[in-house]
Each structure stands twice: as structure tokens, then as C-alpha cells.
Amino acid sequence: MADYSKLIDAETWAFIDRTNSFYPPDAVDHSVEEQRRTYDRMCREFHAGQPEGVSAETTAIDTPTHAIPIRIYRNARADDAAVVLYFHGGGFILGGLDSHDDVCAEICQRTGYEVVSVDYRLVPEHTHPAAYDDSLAAFQWAARTYARPIVLSGDSAGGNLAAAVAHATRGHARAAIGQVLIYPGLGGRLGQGSYRTHADAPLLSVRDMDYYRDMRAGGRDVSGDATFAPFNDKDYSGLPATVVITAECDPLSDDGRDYRDRIKSAGGRAAWINEPGLVHGYLRARHSVGRARSSFTRIVEAIRSLGKGEWDHQP
């Protein structure tokens, strides 16, 4: 097991302690309603405010059965090279437009790109494939609405959804030009590698992951379903240029390495950045932890460069 006293610095420990003061390690033992109240409060406390020059419009995508809320961020000094479709994290049961509002606004401010944040349906009210279906519908809407290239992005559960959409739409006439996945859960094998070494990592444990996975599956057999976990796919060819950024102290870190390797083996372009000493959820630490601040700059630059069709990443 990892020795976090050596891997994690004082700034990151302060972030972990602050997070746990709102959202305790045993949160999965609480009701979903309690978890949502706690998570929403935590996100409000971490919210960094709207950056200057960015406006936000909350609207919705109409589907035959329901509306999918979205929030569109626009920069006063726009760069129309690409549009970013962003899927938030939260284990498929938490989060929404407000939880990642400042993250999306800052991506917009620093890249100049329009950013569309997608409020997909959550479990347990809507089990798989509801979140995936909403994410796919959002891509189809973006492909109809924008003439510019699409970059897919998301963190944690949202990284899973972004990758699932990339797999499903790679043959689309408007297939994404790139994807930037932030500590995504892609369906790696439990009990091996980082899932073993970091089974009890701060802010995300394997026990947490079991809970989220089972809640999302809703009793279905999802073992061969690539829309549930991209690692269930057998074909990694034709995917957009991919940058995966993971946290070293996270059960999911090996998913980034393995996804990169599978894409490269299929002839694609992919890079993996494993951020030393960081933990799952560190996007909220980007203004208080030096390592997280540097990582967020790398995330923004990856989105910016892929949106312009540039590739300067090391493997």
C-alpha cells in the first residue's frame, strides 16, 4: 500500500482535510439526498467565482422525452477554433451545472472557447444508460449547432462519459477532434495495480467505486457494455487525439496509462500525465495547491491545443 505521508505534500493534505470537513469519508453510508446536500454545499464553498470576461447562459436541449439542462460559457475575447463539451464528475449520483460552474468558466476564460456544460440525468433515479444517452444527445446537439470542431472533456464520471461518447461517435461526420479526460473511471480491473496500491486513497476508495458502479448499473449485467465502461470496447482505432490526466494517489490512475496504451497500440495519438502526489477531485484545489494549479494549466493547454488540431504531447 502507498505511504501517503511521503507522497502527499502539506498543501494537498490541507485540501483533503477541508474536503473531508464537508464531505466525510463515510459519505456513501448516507442517503443519496444527504450526499447531494453535502456535496452541493462543499462545491459552493470551493466555488472560485466567475472570471472576468466570461458570460454564462443556462438553457436546455430538447429531446423527445425530456430536456437536458446545459450551461454555455462564452468569452468576451472569443476563440472560435473549437467548442468544448464538458461532463461533470460526481460518481453519477452527484453534481450538476453548479458543481463545476467555476471550472467550466475558467476553461472558457483561459482557452477562449465556448464551453457547454451538460447536466445529464443522475442515478438512482435514472440508472444506466440514462447518463450516457444524455451525453450522446448533447454531442449530437453540438454537432448540429456548431460548425467548429468539438473537444470532449470531463472529470471522473464525466471522463467516463466523454470517452464513451468518443467511442460511439468516432465514425460520425462531426466526430470530436480531441478528448481531455481528467482522472476518469474507464473500467479497469479491480484488485490490480493502482486499484490495489491506492485502494484506500484519500477522497476516493475502491469501496466508494464499488458503490457508484453498482448504483449506476441498477442490477444490469454491464460486463460487455462499452457505453458503461470504455474498457469493455474491443476496438480503440479511430478515436480522437486523447490526453488523459490522472492523480497519482487515486485508484483510477492506471486507467489513464492503460487507455493511452490501447489507443497508441491501435495507431492513435494519446498521452497520459500522472500528477505526482495529487488525489481524486483535485480540480477543486487548483487555487490552493501548487501541484493542482500546475495540473490545471496542463489541462487547459491540452484542451486549447487539441481544439486547434495541434499535437505536441509526449507519450
Side-chain angles (χ1 to χ4, degrees):
M1 304 301 288
D3 184 351
Y4 296 120
S5 66
K6 296 180 179 177
L7 293 175
I8 298 175
D9 66 12
E11 284 185 327
T12 307
W13 276 119
F15 163 70
I16 292 167
D17 290 341
R18 186 182 179 203
T19 300
N20 285 336
S21 73
F22 297 109
Y23 199 72
D26 65 347
V28 295
D29 295 323
H30 300 181
S31 70
V32 170
E33 292 75 16
E34 288 177 299
Q35 290 185 57
R36 286 175 179 166
R37 284 194 298 269
T38 303
Y39 184 81
D40 291 347
R41 177 172 173 250
M42 177 186 71
C43 292
R44 287 194 299 270
E45 292 294 330
F46 275 103
H47 195 286
Q50 288 285 354
E52 186 177 351
V54 173
S55 62
E57 175 193 4
T58 302
T59 181
I61 300 167
D62 289 325
T63 78
T65 58
H66 64 287
I68 305 168
I70 59 173
R71 187 169 292 163
I72 305 172
Y73 299 84
R74 299 183 177 96
N75 194 320
R77 301 176 63 181
D79 185 331
D80 293 333
V83 60
V84 181
L85 203 57
Y86 193 92
F87 306 98
H88 68 82
F92 299 98
I93 69 171
L94 308 169
L97 298 181
D98 292 339
S99 65
H100 289 63
D101 176 69
D102 52 343
V103 170
C104 291
E106 288 176 35
I107 291 172
C108 173
Q109 194 267 336
R110 293 175 64 171
T111 63
Y113 301 159
E114 279 193 27
V115 176
V116 180
S117 178
V118 181
D119 192 9
Y120 54 85
R121 288 171 290 172
L122 301 175
V123 299
E125 296 89 346
H126 305 281
T127 55
H128 182 72
Y132 166 76
D133 288 345
D134 286 357
S135 301
L136 181 62
F139 167 85
Q140 293 166 338
W141 170 86
R144 295 191 305 269
T145 303
Y146 294 93
R148 67 197 76 161
I150 298 168
V151 176
L152 300 169
S153 187
D155 65 287
S156 194
N160 170 292
L161 292 170
V165 169
H167 282 244
T169 60
R170 68 187 109 179
H172 194 284
R174 296 292 319 287
I177 193 173
Q179 59 173 339
V180 178
L181 312 179
I182 306 158
Y183 39 78
L186 302 174
R189 295 182 64 183
L190 299 180
Q192 298 184 4
S194 60
Y195 286 89
R196 180 182 178 88
T197 304
H198 298 290
D200 296 309
L203 303 191
L204 184 69
S205 68
V206 166
R207 179 171 177 261
D208 297 333
M209 293 172 54
D210 288 342
Y211 170 82
Y212 295 136
R213 183 190 63 247
D214 293 346
M215 286 271 284
R216 184 187 178 205
R220 295 181 180 86
D221 178 7
V222 293
S223 57
D225 186 350
T227 68
F228 186 87
F231 279 170
N232 288 334
D233 203 343
K234 306 300 182 188
D235 181 8
Y236 293 83
S237 64
L239 290 170
T242 298
V243 178
V244 190
I245 300 97
T246 56
E248 178 187 20
C249 304
D250 183 345
L252 297 173
S253 60
D254 281 0
D255 280 18
R257 179 200 64 203
D258 295 345
Y259 194 53
R260 175 204 61 186
D261 292 348
R262 295 182 192 198
I263 293 173
K264 291 189 69 179
S265 293
R269 294 187 297 182
W272 170 53
I273 303 168
N274 193 32
E275 300 290 10
L278 285 178
V279 294
H280 196 84
Y282 71 78
L283 277 181
R284 283 185 293 273
R286 67 195 182 282
H287 293 296
S288 61
V289 176
R291 291 173 175 180
R293 183 180 300 109
S294 297
S295 181
F296 188 62
T297 295
R298 285 186 279 275
I299 290 165
V300 169
E301 284 304 304
I303 292 171
R304 186 203 61 78
S305 63
L306 293 188
K308 294 183 181 298
E310 300 170 353
W311 183 261
D312 57 3
H313 298 277
Q314 297 298 316

